[in-house]
């Protein structure tokens, strides 16, 4: 259990538990993911078709309609 991300070796405290950083891990912030893409509370990929909220979360630097282009 945790209250702050600094309490976890992964720097990812989400919903009161230490979480991982890989794709599929629960998250609150993009910085908690190896991919730097936390969308809808889950670490997502950066390639074309991956869910996104911001263009910076995509390798192409283009998030349109909630998907990396």
């Amino acid at each position: 259990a945790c209250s702050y991300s600094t309490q976890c070796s992964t720097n990812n405290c989400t919903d009161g538990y230490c979480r991982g950083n890989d794709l599929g891990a629960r998250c609150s912030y993009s910085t908690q993911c190896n991919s730097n893409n936390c969308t809808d509370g889950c670490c997502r990929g950066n390639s074309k078709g991956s869910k996104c909220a911001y263009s910076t979360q995509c390798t192409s630097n283009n998030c349109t309609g909630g998907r990396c282009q």
Side-chain angles (χ1 to χ4, degrees):
C2 58
S3 298
Y4 303 99
S5 287
T6 55
Q7 295 172 315
C8 304
S9 62
T10 59
N11 271 333
N12 182 357
C13 177
T14 301
D15 298 328
Y17 293 96
C18 292
R19 309 286 182 172
N21 307 106
D22 295 327
L23 299 181
R26 295 186 70 177
C27 57
S28 299
Y29 306 101
S30 288
T31 55
Q32 295 171 323
C33 304
N34 290 335
S35 63
N36 279 321
N37 181 356
C38 178
T39 303
D40 296 333
C42 184
C43 291
R44 310 286 181 169
N46 308 105
S47 60
K48 184 176 180 177
S50 294
K51 289 183 91 176
C52 58
Y54 306 100
S55 290
T56 55
Q57 296 171 324
C58 305
T59 303
S60 66
N61 207 27
N62 181 357
C63 177
T64 303
R67 298 280 179 180
C68 293
Q69 302 302 303

